[in-house]
Amino acid sequence: MEIQFEIFLKLLEVVNFNQAELSRRTGKPVERIKEWKNGKHLPSFRQLVAKTEKLGYNLNVELVKNRE
């Protein structure tokens, strides 16, 4: 599973908006939101960062070295 898809699904879970409300708040058409939710198209990482900020959240990514 692509990381963008996982992040998008987590965003949907956190904000708890339906697709129409998410569309209204992010400025993306409902059709695009549906495509993202179904995994047909994926938002870029940059788009995800912009959308999470628009919704009042920060997207933090942590890079941690694996244990050897």
Side-chain angles (χ1 to χ4, degrees):
M1 183 181 301
E2 298 267 350
I3 189 70
Q4 297 100 308
F5 186 60
E6 290 181 42
I7 293 170
F8 179 70
L9 292 179
K10 183 65 177 177
L11 177 64
L12 289 178
E13 178 185 319
V14 169
V15 298
N16 197 29
F17 295 146
N18 63 31
Q19 292 176 7
E21 182 64 14
L22 188 63
S23 171
R24 187 183 73 74
R25 291 182 183 237
T26 62
K28 286 289 184 185
V30 173
E31 294 77 24
R32 179 59 69 180
I33 301 293
K34 287 179 185 177
E35 290 172 345
W36 286 356
K37 188 172 182 183
N38 294 329
K40 184 175 179 183
H41 292 284
L42 296 174
S44 69
F45 194 75
R46 186 175 292 207
Q47 287 174 315
L48 281 171
V49 170
K51 298 309 172 208
T52 55
E53 288 176 353
K54 208 171 205 180
L55 295 169
Y57 291 85
N58 289 318
L59 178 58
N60 297 314
V61 177
E62 184 176 357
L63 181 61
V64 180
K65 185 174 176 142
N66 291 333
R67 293 183 182 187
E68 295 180 9

